[in-house]
């Protein structure tokens, strides 16, 4: 979707570009993208859901047509949660929304879920390839429960340390190296012939700006975790060939912190939201029906994508 329907002002004065589609008076689904994406990564899913929901996409700060913070601190998760709250207040002031997020979009949304943040404004949450950093830190510390899986995840997360370095990550982003890293991970276990570069347009600025997400949040969250406890319904979708977030981390890290947790394993890699939009939309629709049975009947198991 290309046309901005409104700009939402954040608590620190930035403007976020918001895009709306679907049915005007239907339940609202808010889609939050990660790094190094913009709202376009959700276009396929939005099109699949538009016949039943009012679908809201937005460019997070530093991406797409949204403003760019002037300092790394502007990318802290607390500020990103405030941004989400501003968007929800603007698009659905009267009713709670169904939240769906991917990658860094999902990472930030976990902090929005407790009741003392935005939990009362959110009816359900679907997370794809984006665990809470605090949950992830606690999972990694429990080495005695499966050291091999945890050590493999640490190896697969090599790029996190790389993004902490000064200057070099920005240089690599401007030379297209980060883009090639994305292309590589998007080719693994693909269920179709579509590569992420063919379905999502990104800019050099988005690749550069989003590096601040890692610098602003990773050290404190991983070293001093404060895992959020969540009572609202949470669905975690774990792609089978995700080299950035292992299925073990995504499925196990929330256990003990999410009281109402559903986990679905699906064929695909880290970019499954762009490559298999119909499958993601099917899971989102079924989950919404499950937590709001007044909207529709529960689906048969055969309806679930694999």
């Amino acid at each position: 979707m290309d046309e901005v329907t409104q700009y939402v002002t954040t608590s620190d004065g930035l403007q976020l570009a918001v895009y709306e589609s679907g049915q005007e008076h239907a339940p609202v689904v808010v889609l939050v993208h990660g790094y190094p994406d913009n709202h376009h990564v959700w276009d396929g899913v939005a099109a699949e859901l538009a016949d039943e929901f009012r679908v809201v996409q937005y460019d997070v700060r530093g991406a797409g047509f949204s403003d760019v913070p002037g300092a790394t601190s502007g990318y802290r998760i607390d500020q990103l949660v405030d941004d989400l709250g501003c968007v929800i207040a603007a698009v659905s002031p009267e009713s709670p929304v169904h939240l769906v997020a991917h990658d860094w979009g999902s990472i930030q949304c976990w902090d929005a879920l407790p009741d003392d943040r935005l939990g009362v404004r959110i009816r359900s949450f679907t997370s794809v390839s984006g665990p809470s950093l605090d949950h992830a830190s606690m999972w990694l510390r429990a080495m005695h429960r499966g050291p091999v899986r945890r050590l493999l995840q640490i190896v697969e997360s090599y790029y996190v340390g790389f993004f902490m370095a000064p200057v070099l990550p920005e240089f690599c982003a401007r030379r297209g190296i980060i883009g090639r890293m994305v292309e590589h991970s998007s080719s693994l276990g693909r269920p179709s012939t579509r590569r992420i570069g063919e379905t999502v347009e990104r800019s050099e600025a988005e690749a550069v700006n989003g590096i601040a997400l890692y610098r602003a949040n990773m050290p404190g969250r991983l070293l001093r975790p404060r895992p959020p406890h969540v009572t609202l319904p949470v669905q975690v979708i774990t792609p089978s060939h995700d080299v950035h977030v292992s299925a073990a981390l995504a499925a196990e890290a929330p256990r003990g912190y999410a009281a109402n947790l559903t986990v679905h394993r699906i064929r695909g890699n880290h970019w499954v939201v762009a490559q298999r939009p119909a499958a993601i939309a099917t899971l989102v629709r079924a989950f919404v029906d499950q937590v709001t049975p007044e909207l529709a009947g529960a689906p048969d198991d055969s309806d679930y994508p694999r």
Side-chain angles (χ1 to χ4, degrees), residues 241-265:
H241 290 78
D242 192 332
V243 296
H244 301 300
V245 179
S246 69
L249 169 59
E252 295 173 11
R255 297 195 188 282
Y257 302 106
N260 189 350
L261 177 66
T262 300
V263 177
H264 283 289
R265 188 176 178 89

Side-chain angles (χ1 to χ4, degrees), residues 76-99:
R76 287 177 180 156
I77 286 176
D78 284 350
Q79 181 60 63
L80 300 174
V81 171
D82 284 348
D83 291 355
L84 174 64
C86 291
V87 171
I88 292 175
V91 301
S92 187
E94 304 297 332
S95 303
V97 305
H98 298 278
L99 187 61

Side-chain angles (χ1 to χ4, degrees), residues 75-271:
Y75 287 90
R76 287 177 180 156
I77 286 176
D78 284 350
Q79 181 60 63
L80 300 174
V81 171
D82 284 348
D83 291 355
L84 174 64
C86 291
V87 171
I88 292 175
V91 301
S92 187
E94 304 297 332
S95 303
V97 305
H98 298 278
L99 187 61
V100 184
H102 172 247
D103 187 78
W104 266 99
S106 183
I107 288 172
Q108 64 179 273
C109 285
W110 281 99
D111 271 42
L113 304 184
D115 290 344
D116 59 347
R117 294 302 301 271
L118 296 178
V120 295
R121 308 297 305 278
I122 299 167
R123 185 67 182 85
S124 72
F125 175 50
T126 294
S127 168
V128 187
S129 297
S132 156
L133 294 184
D134 305 84
H135 292 168
S137 177
M138 298 301 291
W139 183 82
L140 289 170
R141 289 162 188 251
M143 197 66 69
H144 62 285
R145 297 180 181 173
V148 174
R149 290 177 300 171
R150 286 159 174 79
L151 288 172
L152 284 174
Q153 178 62 61
I154 291 171
V155 171
E156 291 172 349
S157 301
Y158 68 92
Y159 57 91
V160 173
F162 167 70
F163 284 144
M164 295 295 104
V167 181
L168 184 59
E170 286 85 351
F171 173 81
C172 290
R174 293 188 176 98
R175 296 298 295 268
I177 295 174
I178 290 177
R180 289 195 288 275
M181 291 168 61
V182 170
E183 284 294 307
H184 171 69
S185 67
S186 75
S187 68
L188 302 175
R190 280 184 294 140
S192 72
T193 58
R194 289 189 299 174
R195 296 175 69 95
I196 191 69
E198 297 168 352
T199 56
V200 180
E201 295 182 4
R202 300 183 183 86
S203 70
E204 176 187 295
E206 288 162 348
V208 171
N209 295 339
I211 292 169
L213 289 165
Y214 294 84
R215 293 174 179 160
N217 297 294
M218 283 293 186
R221 295 290 178 137
L222 295 181
L223 294 175
R224 298 179 297 278
R226 301 187 306 276
H229 290 263
V230 180
T231 58
L232 61 82
V234 174
Q235 172 176 228
V236 170
I237 299 175
T238 64
S240 57
H241 290 78
D242 192 332
V243 296
H244 301 300
V245 179
S246 69
L249 169 59
E252 295 173 11
R255 297 195 188 282
Y257 302 106
N260 189 350
L261 177 66
T262 300
V263 177
H264 283 289
R265 188 176 178 89
I266 187 172
R267 288 184 301 108
N269 57 48
H270 188 75
W271 312 103

Side-chain angles (χ1 to χ4, degrees), residues 24-41:
E24 183 178 358
H25 300 294
V28 177
V29 173
V30 177
L31 307 174
V32 189
H33 71 82
Y35 173 80
D37 295 316
N38 52 53
H39 77 280
H40 283 300
V41 77

Side-chain angles (χ1 to χ4, degrees), residues 4-27:
V4 178
T5 54
Q6 65 172 306
Y7 283 95
V8 172
T9 303
T10 68
S11 59
D12 59 347
L14 301 187
Q15 297 286 300
L16 302 180
V18 177
Y19 311 78
E20 299 179 54
S21 58
Q23 309 304 308
E24 183 178 358
H25 300 294

